[in-house]
């Protein structure tokens, strides 16, 4: 069958990629055409053939967003549970005492992933790095979602736990780490052969403190041999910073550098507790330089941390040093535009400087920064030859008015309410603000039921056997 050409005419605003200046630019009134899954025109006055025409007068056309760090299998169910939950005796983190005890069962996992994929599409995400513990049906659902998906199956040599809420211990099983990496490599190879042509994989040892040095070295070797990108959680908590300095006398970043993990194919999530951070009082000042020199990237997910008072210090400084930064929704809501607003505002807060980072910088991170992390130069931008991954926002939506500056207005005011149509790989997956490929409402209902089931299980896993209402009391007292 011949490939069809679609043209969007006279876009009110079009955000095009200027390769000469290496930046996005506004092109008001421009046309965008794509044939099959590839953009064939991006600029004024398209006069080639067209099988389908879309009136762009009330639309801002922008590149689909690249979300480089998300956990769709587990995080959606935490809504109403862990927004304000952390352990004061464990550096405010929720990772050790609370994350391991509230887990979805099989049906809950599938429902959560479907909800997350829907929310992500509705907030303009077209490429997703899905960091999950492998589950049945994962690849099939990600393919069905219509997203451009990167499966990042987690594996590790230890699990962490706390026996008392103030000490973190590690339960080591090195064989499980090796088996997990083998399974991950198989899943990645399968994803790369998916008939959709939209799936890829990323090698993802879970956390710096739960993987042996040997496992990380072997992961690095496998990634180099197979041409894979890698990602790991590191510098994400005070507990982990102290654990790594206790084990090695080096900061997490310095240790990753020493064992050869840092490089252009490596992304570090979340890179908050570096040697300069005000909470760690460490003597060196070289972590940011190591990231910049090695070309490693940072996965920045501000929302999940700042809810617990934890702040990256600061985004503008990372960018000024030439570090590649991508943005991800590490937790619910799976709303990329919301995460971008957090990144901008918190960049100002952490620097105490309104000019430290600007909306254009954040947009660059959420598009080009993400594309770099997944190792692609044909997404995250609207340009001839790039993939037709597009988001159309309604510039006549009341939330987008007054309409002086559409990108700031979308991020700071309208958010996902204004997203109307989304195309991935030339296929429409959102129309009139509704996901076409999945059943959002049905999945949300199933996820709600899964949350009730998980509430019954959590006290059994808690070190103090507390009820759910003791662990996470409602925000107001409940009265008859
Ligand atoms: Zn994460």
């Amino acid at each position: 069958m011949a490939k069809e050409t679609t043209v969007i005419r006279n876009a009110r605003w079009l955000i095009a990629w200027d390769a000469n200046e290496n930046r996005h630019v506004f092109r008001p009134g421009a046309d965008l055409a794509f044939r099959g899954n590839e953009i064939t025109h991006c600029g004024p006055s398209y006069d080639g053939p067209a099988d389908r025409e879309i009136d762009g007068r009330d639309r801002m056309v922008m590149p689909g967003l690249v979300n480089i760090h998300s956990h769709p299998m587990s995080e959606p169910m935490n809504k109403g549970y862990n927004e304000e939950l952390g352990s004061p005796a464990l550096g405010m983190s929720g990772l050790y005492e609370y994350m391991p005890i509230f887990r979805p069962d099989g049906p809950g996992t599938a429902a959560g992933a479907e909800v997350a994929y829907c929310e992500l599409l509705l907030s303009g995400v077209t490429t997703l790095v899905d960091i999950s513990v492998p589950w049945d049906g994962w690849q099939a659902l990600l393919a069905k979602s219509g997203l451009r998906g990167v499966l990042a199956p987690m594996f590790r040599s230890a699990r962490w736990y706390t026996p008392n809420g103030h000490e973190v211990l590690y339960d080591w099983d090195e064989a499980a780490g090796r088996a997990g990496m083998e399974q991950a490599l198989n899943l990645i190879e399968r994803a790369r052969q998916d008939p959709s042509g939209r799936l890829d994989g990323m090698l993802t040892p879970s956390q710096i403190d739960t993987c042996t040095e040997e496992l990380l070295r072997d992961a690095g070797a496998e990634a180099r041999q197979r041409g894979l990108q890698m990602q790991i959680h590191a510098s994400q908590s005070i507990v982990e910073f102290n654990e790594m300095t206790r084990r090695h006398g080096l900061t997490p970043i310095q240790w990753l550098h020493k064992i050869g993990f840092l490089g252009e194919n490596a992304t570090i999530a979340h890179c908050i507790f570096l040697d300069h951070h005000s909470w760690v009082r460490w003597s060196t000042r070289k972590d940011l330089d190591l990231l910049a020199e090695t070309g490693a990237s940072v996965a920045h997910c501000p929302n999940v941390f700042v809810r617990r008072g934890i702040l990256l210090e600061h985004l503008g400084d990372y960018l000024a040093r030439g570090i590649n930064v991508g943005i991800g929704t590490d937790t619910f809501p799976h709303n990329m535009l919301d995460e971008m607003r957090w990144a901008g505002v918190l960049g100002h807060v952490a620097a105490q400087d309104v000019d430290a980072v600007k909306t254009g910088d954040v947009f660059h991170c959420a598009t080009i920064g993400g594309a770099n992390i997944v190792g692609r130069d044909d997404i995250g931008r609207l340009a001839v030859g790039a993939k037709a991954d597009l988001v159309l926002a309604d510039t006549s939506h009341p939330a987008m008015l007054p309409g002086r500056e559409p990108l700031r207005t979308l991020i700071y005011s309208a958010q996902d309410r204004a997203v109307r149509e989304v195309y991935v790989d030339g296929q429409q997956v959102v129309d009139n603000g509704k996901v076409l490929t999945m059943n959002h409402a049905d999945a949300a209902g199933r996820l709600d039921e899964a949350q009730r089931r998980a509430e019954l299980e959590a006290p059994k896993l808690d070190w103090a056997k507390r009820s759910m209402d003791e662990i996470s009391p409602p925000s107001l007292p409940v009265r008859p």
Side-chain angles (χ1 to χ4, degrees), residues 288 292 314-325 355-357 361:
L288 283 172
H314 62 86
L315 178 58
D317 191 22
Y318 286 42
L319 296 176
R321 289 164 186 263
I323 296 168
N324 184 64
V325 178
D355 290 323
V357 66
D361 304 321

Side-chain angles (χ1 to χ4, degrees), residues 69-71 95 131 154 231 233 236 269-270 301 304-305 330:
H69 188 103
S70 198
H71 306 290
L95 289 171
I131 304 176
M154 287 194 281
Q231 190 164 165
H233 292 89
Q236 63 167 342
H270 300 277
C301 309
V304 71
F305 291 97
D330 198 13

Side-chain angles (χ1 to χ4, degrees), residues 7-280:
V7 57
I8 303 167
R9 288 214 192 269
N10 302 314
R12 175 77 185 83
W13 300 93
L14 188 143
I15 300 181
W17 179 243
D18 185 326
N20 293 326
E21 286 191 52
N22 206 33
R23 66 182 306 170
H24 295 292
V25 296
F26 285 125
R27 301 197 74 170
D31 299 341
L32 182 134
F34 59 94
R35 183 168 176 270
N37 67 354
E38 196 175 302
I39 295 171
T40 53
H41 177 94
C42 182
S45 321
Y46 175 75
D47 59 5
D51 300 291
R52 198 161 88 94
E53 303 234 358
I54 297 168
D55 182 355
R57 273 174 299 180
D58 288 335
R59 291 291 181 270
M60 173 169 72
V61 184
M62 65 178 209
L65 304 172
V66 182
N67 182 337
I68 46 69
H69 188 103
S70 198
H71 306 290
M73 71 159 296
S74 56
E75 286 296 320
M77 201 185 68
N78 289 332
K79 198 183 282 183
Y81 164 62
N82 77 359
E83 287 87 348
E84 305 178 279
L85 197 58
S87 306
L90 295 170
M92 299 297 168
S93 177
L95 289 171
Y96 308 101
E97 190 172 11
Y98 299 117
M99 194 185 76
I101 67 170
F102 201 57
R103 309 302 287 175
D105 54 19
T109 297
E114 190 165 345
V115 167
Y117 298 159
C118 288
E119 288 187 8
L120 291 168
L121 284 169
L122 294 173
S123 68
V125 171
T126 54
T127 296
L128 169 67
V129 178
D130 179 341
I131 304 176
S132 292
V133 175
W135 55 276
D136 287 344
W138 181 16
Q139 180 176 329
L141 185 63
L142 192 48
K144 183 187 168 204
S145 74
L147 283 158
R148 196 178 292 288
V150 180
L151 280 86
M154 287 194 281
F155 56 92
R156 59 185 185 175
S157 334
R159 69 171 186 98
W160 57 48
Y161 66 99
T162 176
N164 50 28
H166 58 81
E167 182 184 23
V168 173
L169 301 174
Y170 296 82
D171 186 10
W172 292 91
D173 182 349
E174 291 188 34
R178 306 223 138 263
M181 186 164 84
E182 279 309 309
Q183 184 193 20
L185 288 166
N186 289 334
L187 289 170
I188 289 167
E189 294 303 336
R190 252 182 42 202
R192 290 175 138 189
Q193 288 156 21
D194 191 84
S196 70
R198 281 182 282 100
L199 302 189
D200 199 349
M202 185 178 280
L203 200 57
T204 309
S206 305
Q207 300 100 6
I208 186 175
D209 49 335
T210 59
C211 292
T212 63
E213 175 177 340
E214 207 184 6
L215 189 68
L216 294 181
R217 285 187 186 274
D218 289 353
E222 287 285 356
R224 275 189 294 279
Q225 198 191 332
R226 298 172 189 240
L228 291 172
Q229 305 295 117
M230 299 192 291
Q231 190 164 165
I232 190 168
H233 292 89
S235 299
Q236 63 167 342
S237 77
I238 282 289
V239 167
E240 174 224 294
F241 184 93
N242 291 340
E243 177 69 18
M244 297 311 287
T245 56
R246 186 189 64 76
R247 286 185 200 168
H248 308 292
L250 295 170
T251 68
I253 296 303
Q254 290 162 22
W255 185 70
L256 284 177
H257 180 58
K258 183 183 165 212
I259 68 168
F261 193 90
L262 299 183
E264 284 182 6
N265 69 337
T267 295
I268 315 302
H270 300 277
C271 263
I272 294 169
F273 294 107
L274 306 190
D275 55 8
H276 69 273
H277 196 277
S278 59
W279 287 16
V280 306

Side-chain angles (χ1 to χ4, degrees), residues 389-454:
D389 293 2
L390 321 170
V391 174
L392 279 66
D394 180 1
T395 53
S396 69
H397 190 290
M400 286 292 282
L401 298 173
R404 176 179 174 269
E405 209 283 10
L407 189 56
R408 272 193 218 119
T409 301
L410 181 70
I411 293 171
Y412 281 89
S413 295
Q415 291 266 303
D416 51 334
R417 285 177 292 178
V419 172
R420 275 288 157 273
E421 295 93 18
V422 178
Y423 293 80
V424 183
D425 215 32
Q427 299 290 320
Q428 188 171 7
V429 288
V430 171
D431 186 36
N432 196 28
K434 296 275 183 293
V435 176
L436 299 175
T437 51
M438 294 170 286
N439 190 333
H440 194 175
D442 181 71
R446 286 183 280 124
L447 182 61
D448 184 45
E449 291 166 15
Q451 194 185 52
R452 299 288 81 72
R453 294 194 297 274

